[in-house]
Amino acid sequence: MTITITAFERSPDGGRGLSRDTRVRWALEEVGQPYEVRLVSFQAMKEPAHLAIHPFGQIPTYEEGGLALFETGAIVFHIAERHAGLLPFDPDARARAISWMFAAVNTVEPPVLELVTVKILEGDKPWAQERLPLVLERIRVRLRQLSARLGDAEWLDGAFSAGDLMMVSVLLRLRPSGLLDEFPELAAYVARGEARPAYQRAYAAQAAVAAAVREGG
Amino acid sequence: MTITITAFERSPDGGRGLSRDTRVRWALEEVGQPYEVRLVSFQAMKEPAHLAIHPFGQIPTYEEGGLALFETGAIVFHIAERHAGLLPFDPDARARAISWMFAAVNTVEPPVLELVTVKILEGDKPWAQERLPLVLERIRVRLRQLSARLGDAEWLDGAFSAGDLMMVSVLLRLRPSGLLDEFPELAAYVARGEARPAYQRAYAAQAAVAAAVREGG
């Protein structure tokens, strides 16, 4: 059955790999599953046809036969559960990898998203400049803890897993801020993720969409 | 094997059920698994013994034999995967329930956590009052979408699942703000969750810890 995912017709990041479809593309590349992409405009994302698949009007979604899924973490997990390569076979190691998936989206990503709030959503507000250091410090608390746990290990818990895929993807959002450079172990960890051939293919695929948009005007 | 979870020795909410151990207690009650609780002080949470189990120095954790897990969503999923009652047997319905688990923690909870930021962490800042309506509006966007999807259904997708357990738990954090009352379908949905006998037992157990602290001085 064909796997179809959705992605931004015009990604707000201009193809720098920060849109969440990159995480799903990466997972599909890691397990060697081909997929098709349906591009969705900002307007179409809020219309009934898309909302029927994604109640919050976002991308990515995942369709395969009669199954329609939303929410990046759930889609990556679904792929990891059905194909070898993203979750350990040992049940305890598998449960720990899933802990890291949830840690990425529920413990590390919320403070990271505050950076979007303070810089973009509230970038024109009088308090933006004064708030920024507070937001950065809350992110640093998490990065310090994550860095302490990772140490000089290659991945968070044994072999590369869907937990690393999600965590690296969340940390990548921090690169423009310079925060990653304060934590050399984490910067190296993210670089190891980006160096994976599957990530490279996923990145190239999403960048090609943005390039086509630019060329097409 | 005995299941041991951790909870706050002194919960910041004084036993109103908003600490995340309540979500794990609820899941264990739904599937009928007994558990023990190890209470952890704020100081002990940041010490090596606890950090070895929870890299971010939080509660709850889950220990069973040689397995140690952290991150509420992952713990609830682990419980749901091993015991009947929290995930549908049909593979597609199961994948959709997992979508709702991730939606609760990665799409709905981040704006809800901003309410803690604006009211508590930054409650004394000059911008707190002016920022509050912006934060509330971002939460309303998600509540509107969630309410539109739920409609007059009892649960998010068929029978009660771990997705509902997580979503109701996230929404419960909004009760003090009054926001839930603006969305009668969601308020009724949360009330249905709270009315479940398993939730009642979980709530009573965490409230008993807070009551013992108050009586013990």
Side-chain angles (χ1 to χ4, degrees):
Chain A
M1 272 184 296
T2 306
I3 294 171
T4 304
I5 69 169
T6 50
F8 286 124
E9 188 177 74
R10 289 171 182 269
S11 178
D13 77 337
R16 288 185 301 148
L18 301 180
S19 292
R20 292 188 192 188
D21 58 289
T22 306
R23 304 180 190 185
V24 173
R25 293 174 188 268
W26 185 5
L28 288 165
E29 292 287 353
E30 288 282 353
V31 303
Q33 285 294 306
Y35 62 96
E36 295 186 356
V37 182
R38 188 171 69 245
L39 301 178
V40 187
S41 69
F42 294 118
Q43 193 189 323
M45 284 168 64
K46 308 301 175 192
E47 286 171 1
H50 189 73
L51 287 170
I53 303 174
H54 198 313
F56 300 102
Q58 297 177 320
I59 60 96
T61 57
Y62 176 102
E63 289 161 273
E64 187 180 13
L67 175 65
L69 294 179
F70 65 103
E71 200 69 34
T72 307
I75 295 170
V76 169
F77 178 72
H78 178 79
I79 295 164
E81 211 176 18
R82 268 149 196 78
H83 306 281
L86 283 171
L87 284 175
F89 289 111
D90 171 70
D92 284 4
R94 180 178 178 278
R96 289 196 303 271
I98 296 169
S99 276
W100 284 112
M101 290 190 73
F102 276 97
V105 299
N106 202 20
T107 295
V108 178
E109 196 157 34
V112 169
L113 291 174
E114 275 208 75
L115 204 53
V116 179
T117 302
V118 72
K119 286 193 165 179
I120 312 285
L121 297 182
E122 300 179 5
D124 62 340
K125 300 296 178 194
W127 56 77
Q129 275 303 99
E130 213 176 329
R131 264 198 92 224
L132 182 58
L134 304 180
V135 170
L136 291 175
E137 191 48 34
R138 287 196 287 266
I139 299 171
R140 280 191 193 98
V141 169
R142 293 293 175 233
L143 297 184
R144 255 178 234 127
Q145 293 166 323
L146 184 64
S147 184
R149 169 54 70 103
L150 179 67
D152 57 4
E154 191 174 7
W155 306 111
L156 287 167
D157 193 333
F160 177 83
S161 79
D164 294 298
L165 187 154
M166 293 297 288
M167 191 65 83
V168 166
S169 299
V170 168
L171 295 178
L172 270 169
R173 301 182 79 136
L174 291 175
R175 178 161 294 149
S177 72
L179 267 181
L180 267 187
D181 303 324
E182 299 177 20
F183 300 88
E185 284 92 347
L186 293 183
Y189 168 69
V190 169
R192 279 192 293 279
E194 290 178 294
R196 293 179 71 85
Y199 179 83
Q200 293 291 321
R201 290 193 294 273
Y203 184 92
Q206 63 79 38
V209 173
V213 165
R214 276 193 298 271
E215 283 166 26
Chain B
M1 275 186 293
T2 306
I3 294 170
T4 304
I5 69 168
T6 49
F8 287 123
E9 188 178 74
R10 289 170 182 269
S11 178
D13 78 337
R16 287 185 301 148
L18 301 180
S19 292
R20 292 188 191 187
D21 59 288
T22 306
R23 304 180 190 186
V24 173
R25 293 173 188 269
W26 186 5
L28 288 164
E29 292 287 354
E30 288 283 351
V31 302
Q33 286 293 306
Y35 62 97
E36 296 187 355
V37 182
R38 188 170 69 246
L39 300 178
V40 188
S41 69
F42 292 118
Q43 193 190 322
M45 285 168 64
K46 308 303 175 191
E47 287 171 0
H50 189 74
L51 287 170
I53 305 174
H54 198 313
F56 299 103
Q58 297 178 321
I59 60 95
T61 58
Y62 175 102
E63 290 161 273
E64 187 181 12
L67 175 65
L69 295 179
F70 65 102
E71 201 70 35
T72 307
I75 296 170
V76 169
F77 178 71
H78 178 78
I79 295 164
E81 213 176 17
R82 268 149 197 78
H83 307 280
L86 283 172
L87 284 174
F89 290 109
D90 172 70
D92 285 4
R94 181 177 178 278
R96 289 197 304 271
I98 296 169
S99 276
W100 284 112
M101 291 190 73
F102 276 97
V105 299
N106 202 20
T107 296
V108 179
E109 195 158 34
V112 169
L113 291 174
E114 275 209 75
L115 204 53
V116 179
T117 302
V118 73
K119 286 194 167 180
I120 312 284
L121 298 180
E122 300 179 5
D124 61 342
K125 301 296 179 194
W127 56 76
Q129 275 303 99
E130 211 176 331
R131 265 198 90 225
L132 182 58
L134 303 180
V135 170
L136 292 175
E137 191 48 34
R138 286 196 288 267
I139 299 171
R140 278 190 194 100
V141 169
R142 293 294 175 233
L143 297 184
R144 254 177 236 127
Q145 293 166 323
L146 185 64
S147 184
R149 169 54 70 102
L150 179 67
D152 57 4
E154 191 173 8
W155 306 111
L156 287 167
D157 192 333
F160 177 83
S161 79
D164 294 298
L165 186 153
M166 293 296 290
M167 191 65 82
V168 166
S169 299
V170 167
L171 295 177
L172 270 169
R173 302 181 78 135
L174 291 174
R175 176 162 296 149
S177 72
L179 268 180
L180 269 186
D181 304 324
E182 299 177 20
F183 300 88
E185 284 92 346
L186 294 183
Y189 168 67
V190 169
R192 279 192 293 278
E194 289 178 296
R196 293 179 71 84
Y199 179 84
Q200 293 292 321
R201 290 192 295 272
Y203 184 92
Q206 62 79 38
V209 174
V213 165
R214 278 193 298 272
E215 283 166 25

